[in-house]
């Protein structure tokens, strides 16, 4: 990247909401069904049918507005965006033009240890269009209207992003928040989330923005990153050669890793927006707006910062924990029992437990592990009732069934032995079995001590208290 | 006895007293429809099979002494822009010549639930755009009083079928006068309900903010009966529907009512014969006890412009879905790309008047023109509504002519669409303000063509409108019925 130029990025993120039914009819809002089995006369735009706005959509959008600190407009006004395309059966999309549900706001994102505040221009609600599918048999194109009328929110950012990393972090952060609010599946690979990426470049120090190009069809977090870099380089190259960047819309091809021209500014469509006469503007009661604000949970960045300040977690660990709602909720619940060090909970969650989950391709909720059991298990270790090694055995059990860790310790006889009289035989046996190690120790290689203690742990089936064993071994060796 | 001549109200009584069967009514009606249809051309489709089957169901209910719906056994026909499950719904357009909906309009569901017997679909101006019923792809409907004349439009088929005693009841739709105007020109009763009183679900939209389904009948009682069956909220399917109920009972009374006569509606544009007839009818109401006063609605002269901008803008968007790709007419695809296919389909599938309005509507919504046209028209709409509201502070109802003239000759408007647009001058303000209005016959011109009087009320004042209309009907001893020269 040419360091003489600054990249300026604004994102328009479309997220499908996970409401029960579609935005204007009672069809199930469901991904992946057989083509044209999740549509009705209304979402298929048949003559004479009319839309009725799903209140759940309004509520979800307002929640997102609160999460992004937006002004909430308190009214729903719907407008028609008119254009002809076979995936749009009414030939207009019901959207919001001059009065979006949510106005100005912002999102703080954490990039490379620094908090960056990204302005949000607006959030509005609209309906999704259908999908066109190429038909190999006929060579023609078929339309699937299942997606018609799936509710979308469009979150428009200010041109405040300055790098591909920031753009990607912003997208990821939007996805995390959608999941935290429980209003979208936020899966880019399923098309739940899509982004139009506006990129311009300008010589460093220049106040005015450069001419922007908008890229459509950017469908993954890493594609956002790649698309920004590609487009910025393309524009820098033009400018470096003394050319001018044209305002245009381009299509991103992630497979080829490049964008191609869709249309220039001259070909821009006139959408002839006007208020949809089928949907009356209505006021959302202030109490309702307030009620939805209260319903917004603590969000990832706030959690990350709290984990760092309150529990002394590293930024890396805190981000990893807070970034996933289930994980963070689990952590918060386990910590709330006040049985053990929260940091230990984080270490277990992000260490042994994450490894098991990754190995088995599982999520936390796929296991039997409860926050209480995990906290109790760590408490047993911290109190010295079991060793860390035995703790791992307890973990294996409580991942599989909901059973009190103390009970596991009892059943499996995993309690740590700190009684020296019970450990004397263990130490004697290990020293007798390992004459070479004893010899080495005496010869001054004191680092074999760890090996001998390890053997003692093994001999005690993990139950021996390592600190006490160390003391005993040292004493015994000196006596020899 | 010729059953087809009976009103819906009297048929209901005769049926319940088992004087006649629903099948006998249907047979008499079907015979009458076929007898005069060659002269009138009110129907796009006659649903004989369905009529006889539905009549048989009513007869069975009657035989088993089951409770009957309010419209049980009563013949009805429906304007062809109102969706009927399994029956072609064409909007009198080549574009929808073969379109068969698989869902019913709410109004159709309601009349079926009330036991009405469906006799067919009625002719209209293409997509309800017109005031003469001549723009139908299926040819013009003729006025039953004189078949050389238009029946008015766009619900010309509805008014003509009722006037010709083909059916006692019909459903029409009214966007700028499309029920009232043909009702006036055909000498029948037509009610345009308050916007939101009847669900629009299943009415193929022309101008969504103005469209309203309403009844056409030969008597006020019949209109009230049909209106009571179709009105009411439909919140899950039409966001613009309102909580409203009407029990169908009408009392012939104008007691304590003040009626305003807006001077702008009695000016030079009104045919002298029409003006005289309406003034005579107002005098009759005065004698029945109403107070009469002159009022003013100063923005009336701007109403037509506002109406044609708003309605065409909405139409340009509503009719965009007819692209030949999903249903309806498709042009020959050979050699055409997607854009060309859509363009050719729309050029061939829509008639001239529809294309004219789509172009006008597209223009007024275009970037750079929106503020000058659409936005100003919407401001005018507010102004006109405010003037009506103010007028209703000092009077209960307003009376005007329904149409400035009696029915024109067929073909008279063909050369000048603006002249046809001017025929809506008395009716469009009502739609713009979302008000209810009824047209009732009030005499005839020297050459025997009917004249209509329009009674306008505040929102949801249908009861008062119907009471007043019935008071006039009773005072003049009922309305004349056309003798069709078959």
């Amino acid at each position: 990247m040419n360091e003489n130029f600054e990249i300026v990025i604004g994102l328009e993120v479309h997220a499908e909401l996970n409401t029960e039914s579609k935005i204007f009819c009672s069809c199930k809002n469901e991904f992946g069904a057989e083509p044209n089995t999740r549509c009705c006369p209304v979402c298929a735009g048949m003559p004479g049918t009319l839309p009725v706005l799903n209140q759940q959509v309004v509520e979800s959008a307002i929640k997102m507005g609160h999460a992004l600190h937006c002004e909430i407009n308190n009214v729903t006004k719907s407008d028609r965006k008119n254009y002809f395309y076979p995936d749009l059966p009414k030939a207009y999309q019901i959207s919001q033009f001059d009065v979006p549900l949510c106005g100005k706001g912002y999102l703080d994102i954490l990039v490379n240890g620094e908090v960056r505040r990204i302005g949000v221009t607006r959030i509005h609600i609209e309906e999704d269009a259908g999908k066109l599918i190429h038909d190999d048999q006929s060579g023609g194109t078929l339309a699937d209207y299942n997606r018609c009328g799936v509710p979308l929110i469009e979150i428009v950012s200010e041109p405040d992003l300055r790098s591909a990393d920031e753009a990607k972090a912003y997208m990821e952060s939007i996805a995390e928040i959608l999941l935290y609010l429980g209003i979208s599946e936020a899966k880019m690979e399923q098309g739940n989330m899509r982004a139009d990426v506006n990129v311009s470049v300008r010589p460093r120090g220049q106040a005015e923005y450069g001419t922007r190009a908008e890229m459509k069809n950017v469908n993954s977090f890493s594609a956002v990153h790649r698309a920004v870099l590609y487009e910025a380089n393309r524009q820098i190259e033009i400018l470096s050669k003394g050319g001018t960047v044209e305002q245009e819309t381009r299509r991103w091809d992630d497979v080829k890793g490049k964008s191609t021209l869709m249309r220039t500014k001259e070909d821009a469509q006139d959408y002839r927006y006007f208020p949809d006469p089928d949907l009356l503007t209505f006021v959302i009661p202030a109490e309702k707006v307030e009620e939805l604000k209260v319903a917004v949970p603590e969000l990832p960045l706030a959690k990350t910062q709290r984990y760092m300040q309150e529990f002394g977690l590293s930024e890396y660990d805190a981000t990893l924990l807070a970034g996933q709602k289930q994980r963070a909720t689990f952590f918060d619940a386990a910590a709330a029992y006040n049985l053990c060090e929260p940091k230990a909970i984080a270490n277990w969650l992000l260490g042994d437990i994450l490894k098991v989950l990754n190995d088995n391709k599982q999520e936390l909720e796929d296991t039997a592990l409860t926050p209480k059991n995990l906290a109790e298990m760590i408490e047993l270790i911290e109190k010295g009732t079991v060793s860390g090694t035995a703790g791992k055995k307890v973990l294996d059990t409580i991942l599989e069934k909901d059973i009190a860790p103390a009970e596991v310790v009892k059943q499996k006889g995993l309690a740590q032995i700190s009684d020296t009289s019970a450990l004397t035989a263990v130490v004697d046996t290990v020293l007798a079995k390992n004459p070479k190690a004893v010899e080495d120790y005496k010869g001054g290689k004191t680092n074999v001590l760890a090996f001998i203690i390890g053997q003692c742990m093994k001999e005690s089936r993990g139950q021996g208290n390592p600190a006490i064993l160390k003391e005993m071994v040292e004493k015994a060796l000196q006596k020899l | 006895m010729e059953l087809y001549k009976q009103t819906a109200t009297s048929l209901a009584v005769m049926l319940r007293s088992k004087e006649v069967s629903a099948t006998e009514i249907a047979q008499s009606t079907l015979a009458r429809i076929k007898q005069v249809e060659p002269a009138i051309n009110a129907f796009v489709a006659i649903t004989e099979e369905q009529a006889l089957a539905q009549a048989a169901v009513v007869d069975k209910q009657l035989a088993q002494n089951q409770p009957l719906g309010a419209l049980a056994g009563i013949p009805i026909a429906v304007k062809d822009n109102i969706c009927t499950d399994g029956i072609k719904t064409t909007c009198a357009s080549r574009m929808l010549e073969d379109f068969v909906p698989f869902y019913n309009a709410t109004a159709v569901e309601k009349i079926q639930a009330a036991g009405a017997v469906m006799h067919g679909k009625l002719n209209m101006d293409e997509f309800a755009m017109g005031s003469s019923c001549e723009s139908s792809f299926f040819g013009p409907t003729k006025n039953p009083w004189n078949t050389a004349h238009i029946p008015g439009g766009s619900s010309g088929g509805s008014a003509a079928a009722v006037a010709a005693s083909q059916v006692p009841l019909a459903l029409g739709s009214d966007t700028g006068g499309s029920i009232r105007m043909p009702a006036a020109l055909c000498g029948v009763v037509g009610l345009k309900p308050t916007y939101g009183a009847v669900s629009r679900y299943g009415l193929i939209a022309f101008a969504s903010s103005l469209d309203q389904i309403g009844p056409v009948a030969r008597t006020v009682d019949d209109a009230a009966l049909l209106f009571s069956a179709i009105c009411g909220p439909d919140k899950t399917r039409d966001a613009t529907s309102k909580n409203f109920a009407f029990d169908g009972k009408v009392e012939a009374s104008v007691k304590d009512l003040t009626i305003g006569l807006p001077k702008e509606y009695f000016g030079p544009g009104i045919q002298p014969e029409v003006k005289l007839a309406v003034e005579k009818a107002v005098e009759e109401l005065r004698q029945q006890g109403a107070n009469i006063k002159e009022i003013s609605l100063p923005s009336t002269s701007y109403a037509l412009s506002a109406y044609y901008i708003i309605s065409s803008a909405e139409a340009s968007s509503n009719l965009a879905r007819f692209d030949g790709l999903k249903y309806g007419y498709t042009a020959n695809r050979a050699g055409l790309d997607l854009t060309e296919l859509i363009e050719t389909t729309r050029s061939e599938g829509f008639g001239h008047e529809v294309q004219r309005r789509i172009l006008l509507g597209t223009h007024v919504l275009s970037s750079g023109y929106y503020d000058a046209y659409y936005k100003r028209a919407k401001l005018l709409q507010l102004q006109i509504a405010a003037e009506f509201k103010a007028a209703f502070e000092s009077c209960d109802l307003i009376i005007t002519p329904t149409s400035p003239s009696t029915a024109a000759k067929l073909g008279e408007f063909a050369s000048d669409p603006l002249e046809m647009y001017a025929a809506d001058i008395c009716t469009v303000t009502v739609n713009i303000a979302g008000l209810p209005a009824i047209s009732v016959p009030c005499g005839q011109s020297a050459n025997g063509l009917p004249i209509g009087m329009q009674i306008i009320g505040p929102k949801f004042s249908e009861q008062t409108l119907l009471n007043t209309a019935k008071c006039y009907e009773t005072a003049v001893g009922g309305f004349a019925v056309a003798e069709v020269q078959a």
Side-chain angles (χ1 to χ4, degrees), chain A residues 223-403:
Chain A
V224 172
H225 198 268
R226 281 192 291 272
V228 167
L229 287 183
Y230 173 87
E231 182 56 24
N233 278 324
R234 189 185 71 84
Q235 292 181 14
I236 289 169
E237 209 165 294
I238 292 173
L239 293 176
S240 303
K241 286 180 186 158
T244 45
V245 175
E246 298 294 328
Q247 185 175 334
E248 58 194 29
T249 305
R250 304 179 66 84
R251 182 184 284 105
W252 174 248
D253 184 333
D254 203 44
V255 178
K256 292 189 180 137
K258 60 185 199 177
S259 64
T260 47
L261 180 67
M262 271 174 85
R263 56 176 177 264
T264 61
K265 194 187 174 189
E266 283 70 41
D267 298 331
Q269 296 194 48
D270 182 357
Y271 292 119
R272 287 172 284 118
Y273 279 101
F274 76 106
D276 191 333
D278 290 328
L279 292 157
L280 304 178
T281 296
F282 65 90
V283 175
I284 307 151
E287 311 88 73
K288 184 79 207 171
V289 173
E290 209 40 46
E291 187 187 313
L292 292 166
K293 190 171 191 172
V294 174
V296 174
E298 185 186 28
L299 294 172
L301 183 65
K303 265 194 202 297
T304 302
Q305 289 170 333
R306 179 165 64 85
Y307 291 167
M308 288 164 70
Q309 280 156 19
E310 266 184 44
F311 304 141
L313 302 192
S314 67
E315 183 191 316
Y316 181 81
D317 283 357
T319 309
L320 212 54
L321 265 185
Q324 209 201 55
K325 190 187 181 187
Q326 281 81 359
R327 203 181 282 163
T329 310
F330 193 98
F331 172 77
D332 286 340
Y337 286 107
N338 269 324
L339 296 172
C340 57
E341 275 298 316
K343 201 171 175 176
I345 300 173
N347 289 340
W348 278 95
L349 274 174
L350 299 175
D352 289 85
I353 295 172
L354 193 57
K355 186 174 182 306
V356 171
L357 296 180
N358 287 344
D359 288 350
N360 299 334
K361 292 198 166 66
Q362 281 182 315
E363 298 291 335
L364 256 181
E365 59 267 28
D366 299 330
T367 72
L369 189 65
T370 66
K372 185 161 186 261
N373 287 346
L374 179 63
E376 285 180 4
M377 182 204 94
I378 298 170
E379 184 193 22
L380 291 175
I381 297 169
E382 286 179 1
K383 281 189 177 164
T385 312
V386 295
S387 65
T389 320
K392 286 182 189 177
K393 288 185 183 163
V394 175
L395 178 67
D396 289 341
T397 309
I398 59 178
L399 276 168
E400 267 160 34
K401 61 180 174 183
D402 182 3
I403 177 171

Side-chain angles (χ1 to χ4, degrees), chain A residues 41-42 45-52 80 82 84 86 89-92 145 270 272-275 277-280, chain B residues 83 99 102-103 200-203 208 235-240 317-318 320-321 326-327 338 362 365-367 370 374:
Chain A
V42 176
M46 297 299 288
T49 62
L50 297 170
V52 176
R80 293 187 184 178
N82 296 284
F84 288 98
K90 295 191 299 295
Y92 60 83
Y145 287 163
D270 182 357
R272 287 172 284 118
Y273 279 101
F274 76 106
D278 290 328
L279 292 157
L280 304 178
Chain B
C83 287
F99 175 62
F102 49 93
Y103 44 93
R200 290 186 298 116
Y201 185 85
L203 169 65
S208 315
K235 296 287 183 194
T236 60
R237 293 200 295 194
D238 176 2
T240 61
S317 173
N318 284 330
R321 72 190 68 197
K326 306 170 293 265
Y327 44 77
L338 178 66
T362 304
L365 288 177
S366 298
S367 141
Y370 183 94
Y374 185 76

Side-chain angles (χ1 to χ4, degrees), chain B residues 71-190:
Chain B
L71 297 176
I74 314 261
I76 194 166
V78 173
K79 188 177 181 181
D80 214 21
N81 59 350
I82 300 173
C83 287
T84 40
D85 188 356
I87 303 170
K88 270 188 209 173
T89 300
T90 68
C91 286
S93 178
R94 183 185 197 187
M95 187 60 92
L96 291 179
E97 191 183 355
D98 295 312
F99 175 62
V100 181
F102 49 93
Y103 44 93
N104 272 323
T106 299
V108 170
E109 254 175 29
K110 286 191 166 197
I111 58 170
Q112 285 188 352
V117 176
M118 175 76 176
H119 277 68
K121 299 300 291 288
L122 297 164
N123 204 11
M124 55 188 278
D125 280 296
E126 185 182 6
F127 281 99
M129 296 173 187
S131 312
S132 71
C133 211
E134 292 173 294
S135 68
S136 167
F137 181 62
F138 306 106
T141 295
K142 322 291 180 18
N143 193 314
W145 294 85
N146 184 335
T147 52
H149 289 255
I150 60 163
S154 68
S155 308
S158 304
V162 170
S165 301
Q166 290 180 302
V167 279
L169 298 178
L171 286 183
S173 72
D174 190 317
T175 306
S178 281
I179 287 176
R180 290 159 287 156
M181 207 260 256
L185 269 43
C186 290
V188 294
V189 178

